[in-house]
Amino acid sequence: MLEDKNQEKTSLSELGEFGLIKHLTKHFSSYHKTTIKSVGDDAAVIDSSEKQTIVTTDLLIEGVHFDLSYMPLKHLGYKAVMVNLSDVYAMNAEAEQITVSIAISNRFPLEALEELYAGIQLACNTYNVDLIGGDTTSSTKGMLLSITAIGKANKEDVIYRSGAKPTDLVVVSGDLGGAYLGLQVLEREKQVFQVNPENQPDLDNYTYIIERQLKPEARKDIPELLKELDVKPTSMIDISDGLSSEIMHICTQSKTGCKLYEEKLPLDPQVISTCEEFEIDATMVALSGGEDYELLFTISIDDYDKIKGNPNLSVIGHITEENQGMNLVTRANQEIELKAQGWNSFKG
Amino acid sequence: MLEDKNQEKTSLSELGEFGLIKHLTKHFSSYHKTTIKSVGDDAAVIDSSEKQTIVTTDLLIEGVHFDLSYMPLKHLGYKAVMVNLSDVYAMNAEAEQITVSIAISNRFPLEALEELYAGIQLACNTYNVDLIGGDTTSSTKGMLLSITAIGKANKEDVIYRSGAKPTDLVVVSGDLGGAYLGLQVLEREKQVFQVNPENQPDLDNYTYIIERQLKPEARKDIPELLKELDVKPTSMIDISDGLSSEIMHICTQSKTGCKLYEEKLPLDPQVISTCEEFEIDATMVALSGGEDYELLFTISIDDYDKIKGNPNLSVIGHITEENQGMNLVTRANQEIELKAQGWNSFKG
């Protein structure tokens, strides 16, 4: 009775994930002065006296966000925590607690869940985070994980997506595109395996990008590094859906444009060689790949000397006035408009 | 490759939900002094200076926790929030924020989600709670909701499950068993409808118990009432899995026994008449029905005069020494051992 038989109804794919959340929550109002920031950033902010509490949540679903035929359960547990911690660090906050809710079908034995929790525990130990609760239940199909992460920050330290100003530099940590390419390699090997289960995959040439996909690390070190360097970003976001999509969030919320430079995009040599092998454009992968969990932020141009030459950071462009749009300057010195082609779970 | 083909592995139903969480989290340790209480109570507690932050989360899955053939989506949204707020109130805290994550298959149009959010919004408006975030994604099958609620309380006001003492009185708000019976009526009507879709159900005799199932209210008023009466419970829990299961949590965590009296269990007349119609024992329904979302708590016997005769509260027994066990005294003055027969999502 709830199926969509009415052709006039709105399909979810028309809205996309961001449009959907915005649409569904636009009539909600805030009651508490302590609710500093709710929907619309990486995480919610709750005032707790001098410190502010940071809350973020993510839902990971088998068959949508992960494929257990090549994602070991321990890695899945680890990655699920990383996805959430990354959002806390993107607020320039310290992650302190997580809750983990899991639904699983009867096809999983206890030992499978133990593996999953071993990954969650490794993440908690490595990142000094406390598991403080959750819910465990059966599902009618497959596995899903819902994690909420909670962090703390001094009020004056919290960094939103909305603070970028024209002339600010756009900076990214680490390198881009690896996680997406790792997924392509794993998908290819899965298909080979389905045709010929005897075939032993040789993945030596892909170790880095496969690790980027299966065991990403949240960049806890970057806010610490920036503090040491005495640089406070004007805006910050983590790269979960691809660089294009994320810089567009910063520009939209900051009411600015931006200019990124293709030649400045940080690419690992394995990303470049694998792109050649797969005959895909490395720039496209860096812009739209997603799941890199690097931090993207903007800094005042006055801080350039403080970060210049740091091997963890790449300046990839600058913020412009809003009316100049959001553009990529190609190696051929052409300007093309950025498009958010990141992952949209309601498409396809 | 992850299916349970090994007969020696442990099935999840052997452990049950509580055993599973305990089993999976027993090796985790806490890093932060601010993590006051994690797994093992209704909600987690985080110290935020003079106030403490309360966090609780619940996962609701179509086909496991709800059936959309008789649960309107607006009611589902409302109830999903109630389930979480109830846990916050059971800590004697004020609920202030929620996050809502939703996964849905393509069979739902936007309008269905709008209905769901209308229910969530009604709950937020009625209970003065802020929606501060969440995640929305597609699912491969059905709908699921994951809600996290966050509350605040003064450190000295938080009430755990572990504070009951021998001679304390056991008190419950409202009445018991209605939600479970409402579900039985709805299940029966669903089967009648499947046989004869022309049949119009006459539900006039069941309005109260159906409302208890479809639109439960979290007992925000009870902690307020107790404050007015100057009574601070020694332990408190909300009744989501049935009275038996909940009083056993209090006794186990408080290292006590208890004695409940069958004749004292609060039953609505509609519960009694519907039990007669269905030929089921009303006491069994009150003990094991679940989903009532009433508060169960213990108070010092010295506070008895303060609550005596209050229409919202029923004294149903008292706490004993641990070695006396957990028992129900029947109308025939026989003592029978309490058993947790509450809902277990891993069983059948």
Side-chain angles (χ1 to χ4, degrees):
Chain A
M1 65 191 273
L2 290 157
E3 288 180 7
D4 186 5
K5 288 172 183 159
N6 183 342
Q7 293 304 313
E8 286 171 34
K9 294 199 168 173
T10 318
S11 85
L12 298 178
S13 57
E14 284 172 45
L15 280 168
E17 188 188 351
F18 305 115
L20 180 60
I21 292 174
K22 207 172 159 187
H23 177 87
L24 293 172
T25 60
K26 66 186 174 190
H27 297 302
F28 285 75
S29 52
S30 278
Y31 289 100
H32 299 281
K33 283 184 196 165
T34 53
T35 303
I36 305 299
K37 177 77 181 180
S38 61
V39 179
D41 215 292
D42 292 292
V45 179
I46 303 166
D47 195 340
S48 330
S49 305
E50 65 269 48
K51 287 270 187 182
Q52 294 192 330
T53 304
I54 309 296
V55 179
T56 180
T57 190
D58 266 295
L59 203 54
L60 298 175
I61 296 176
E62 185 182 354
V64 179
H65 302 95
F66 58 89
D67 182 335
L68 290 176
S69 58
Y70 48 72
M71 173 62 98
L73 283 161
K74 189 173 176 183
H75 287 72
L76 175 64
Y78 192 88
K79 183 170 176 174
V81 178
M82 289 307 114
V83 170
N84 280 277
L85 299 189
S86 182
D87 278 325
V88 176
Y89 302 139
M91 304 299 287
N92 203 31
E94 284 177 50
E96 295 197 337
Q97 288 92 7
I98 56 168
T99 66
V100 176
S101 293
I102 294 180
I104 31 157
S105 69
N106 291 331
R107 82 170 209 259
F108 295 97
L110 175 63
E111 287 70 16
L113 271 182
E114 286 174 338
E115 271 298 292
L116 184 78
Y117 267 76
I120 293 168
Q121 188 169 7
L122 179 62
C124 286
N125 292 345
T126 308
Y127 284 78
N128 282 20
V129 168
D130 300 333
L131 177 74
I132 60 162
D135 197 5
T136 313
T137 185
S138 61
S139 79
T140 51
K141 188 185 170 196
M143 175 186 283
L144 73 93
L145 278 153
S146 176
I147 297 190
T148 297
I150 298 151
K152 286 268 162 60
N154 290 315
K155 187 182 169 184
E156 63 274 17
D157 290 337
V158 178
I159 299 174
Y160 296 98
R161 297 174 177 176
S162 56
K165 298 269 178 299
T167 79
D168 280 357
L169 300 176
V170 177
V171 188
V172 67
S173 65
D175 53 70
L176 300 173
Y180 173 82
L181 278 182
L183 182 64
Q184 303 315 305
V185 170
L186 291 166
E187 289 276 2
R188 183 178 68 180
E189 294 308 321
K190 180 185 174 184
Q191 285 168 15
V192 170
F193 179 82
Q194 284 167 344
V195 174
N196 178 8
E198 299 297 309
N199 188 63
Q200 287 297 315
D202 178 6
L203 299 175
D204 285 354
N205 292 331
Y206 312 107
T207 48
Y208 176 69
I209 58 176
I210 288 174
E211 189 167 346
R212 293 287 282 173
Q213 171 60 224
L214 295 184
K215 191 166 177 286
E217 302 289 344
R219 299 304 304 255
K220 186 186 186 186
D221 58 323
I222 298 297
E224 290 166 0
L225 171 68
L226 291 171
K227 206 170 181 183
E228 272 171 38
L229 297 174
D230 191 30
V231 173
K232 191 194 168 191
T234 52
S235 69
M236 189 150 65
I237 191 169
D238 77 316
I239 301 184
S240 49
D241 294 329
L243 175 63
S244 269
S245 170
E246 313 301 357
I247 190 67
M248 289 174 75
H249 280 302
I250 284 182
C251 288
T252 305
Q253 295 202 21
S254 299
K255 296 187 175 58
T256 66
C258 69
K259 202 174 271 189
L260 303 187
Y261 294 86
E262 184 180 19
E263 62 180 0
K264 303 286 188 189
L265 300 179
L267 302 173
D268 185 85
Q270 209 169 83
V271 166
I272 296 170
S273 63
T274 310
C275 277
E276 284 169 1
E277 185 189 334
F278 276 72
E279 296 182 342
I280 40 180
D281 182 32
T283 300
M284 187 55 83
V285 168
L287 286 172
S288 305
E291 292 202 287
D292 286 319
Y293 302 109
E294 296 294 342
L295 292 177
L296 175 70
F297 53 95
T298 56
I299 61 169
S300 165
I301 197 163
D302 299 336
D303 285 331
Y304 176 62
D305 285 342
K306 296 179 189 167
I307 66 144
K308 192 172 60 178
N310 191 299
N312 292 292
L313 304 174
S314 303
V315 177
I316 59 171
H318 58 84
I319 297 295
T320 64
E321 295 292 342
E322 189 172 17
N323 59 18
Q324 294 188 254
M326 298 174 260
N327 296 293
L328 178 78
V329 181
T330 67
R331 286 198 182 79
N333 211 25
Q334 285 189 308
E335 282 197 23
I336 56 169
E337 200 186 333
L338 287 171
K339 294 214 168 88
Q341 299 182 312
W343 177 85
N344 179 334
S345 81
F346 289 115
K347 279 191 191 144
Chain B
M1 68 192 271
L2 289 157
E3 288 180 8
D4 187 3
K5 288 175 182 156
N6 183 344
Q7 293 304 314
E8 286 171 32
K9 294 197 169 176
T10 318
S11 86
L12 297 178
S13 57
E14 284 173 44
L15 280 167
E17 188 187 351
F18 305 114
L20 180 59
I21 292 174
K22 205 171 160 188
H23 177 86
L24 292 172
T25 60
K26 66 185 172 190
H27 297 302
F28 285 75
S29 52
S30 278
Y31 289 100
H32 298 281
K33 282 185 194 162
T34 54
T35 304
I36 306 299
K37 176 79 182 180
S38 61
V39 180
D41 214 292
D42 291 292
V45 179
I46 303 166
D47 195 342
S48 331
S49 304
E50 67 269 45
K51 287 269 187 181
Q52 295 192 328
T53 304
I54 308 296
V55 179
T56 180
T57 190
D58 266 293
L59 202 55
L60 297 175
I61 296 176
E62 184 182 355
V64 178
H65 303 96
F66 58 88
D67 182 334
L68 290 174
S69 60
Y70 47 72
M71 173 61 97
L73 283 161
K74 189 173 176 182
H75 288 70
L76 175 63
Y78 192 88
K79 182 170 176 175
V81 178
M82 289 308 114
V83 170
N84 280 276
L85 298 189
S86 182
D87 278 325
V88 176
Y89 301 138
M91 304 297 289
N92 203 31
E94 284 177 49
E96 296 197 339
Q97 289 92 8
I98 56 167
T99 67
V100 177
S101 292
I102 294 181
I104 32 157
S105 68
N106 292 330
R107 83 170 207 259
F108 296 97
L110 176 62
E111 287 70 15
L113 271 182
E114 287 174 339
E115 270 298 292
L116 184 77
Y117 268 74
I120 293 169
Q121 188 169 7
L122 180 61
C124 286
N125 291 346
T126 308
Y127 285 79
N128 282 20
V129 169
D130 301 332
L131 178 73
I132 60 163
D135 196 4
T136 314
T137 185
S138 62
S139 78
T140 51
K141 187 184 172 197
M143 174 185 285
L144 73 94
L145 279 154
S146 175
I147 297 190
T148 298
I150 297 153
K152 286 267 162 60
N154 290 315
K155 185 180 170 183
E156 62 276 16
D157 290 338
V158 178
I159 299 174
Y160 295 98
R161 296 175 178 177
S162 55
K165 297 271 179 298
T167 77
D168 281 357
L169 299 176
V170 178
V171 188
V172 67
S173 66
D175 53 68
L176 299 173
Y180 173 82
L181 278 182
L183 182 64
Q184 303 315 306
V185 170
L186 290 165
E187 289 277 3
R188 183 178 68 181
E189 294 310 321
K190 181 185 173 184
Q191 284 168 15
V192 169
F193 179 83
Q194 283 169 344
V195 174
N196 179 9
E198 300 297 308
N199 188 63
Q200 288 296 316
D202 179 6
L203 299 175
D204 285 355
N205 291 332
Y206 313 106
T207 48
Y208 175 70
I209 58 175
I210 288 173
E211 188 167 346
R212 292 287 281 173
Q213 171 60 222
L214 295 184
K215 192 167 177 286
E217 302 289 345
R219 298 305 303 256
K220 186 186 187 184
D221 57 322
I222 298 298
E224 290 166 1
L225 172 67
L226 291 172
K227 206 170 179 182
E228 272 171 40
L229 297 174
D230 191 30
V231 172
K232 190 192 168 192
T234 52
S235 69
M236 188 150 64
I237 191 169
D238 77 317
I239 301 183
S240 50
D241 293 329
L243 176 62
S244 267
S245 170
E246 314 300 0
I247 189 67
M248 288 174 75
H249 281 304
I250 284 183
C251 288
T252 305
Q253 294 202 22
S254 300
K255 297 187 174 58
T256 66
C258 70
K259 201 173 272 190
L260 304 186
Y261 294 86
E262 183 179 19
E263 63 180 0
K264 303 286 187 188
L265 300 180
L267 302 173
D268 186 85
Q270 209 169 81
V271 167
I272 296 169
S273 63
T274 311
C275 277
E276 284 169 4
E277 186 190 336
F278 278 72
E279 295 182 342
I280 39 180
D281 181 33
T283 299
M284 187 56 82
V285 167
L287 287 173
S288 306
E291 291 201 288
D292 286 319
Y293 302 109
E294 295 294 344
L295 292 177
L296 175 70
F297 53 94
T298 55
I299 63 169
S300 164
I301 198 162
D302 298 337
D303 286 332
Y304 175 63
D305 284 343
K306 297 179 188 169
I307 66 146
K308 191 172 58 177
N310 191 299
N312 292 291
L313 304 175
S314 304
V315 177
I316 60 171
H318 57 86
I319 297 295
T320 64
E321 296 292 341
E322 189 172 17
N323 59 19
Q324 293 188 257
M326 300 175 258
N327 297 294
L328 178 79
V329 181
T330 67
R331 285 197 183 80
N333 210 24
Q334 284 187 309
E335 282 197 26
I336 55 170
E337 201 186 332
L338 288 171
K339 293 215 169 86
Q341 299 182 311
W343 178 84
N344 178 337
S345 79
F346 289 114
K347 279 189 192 147

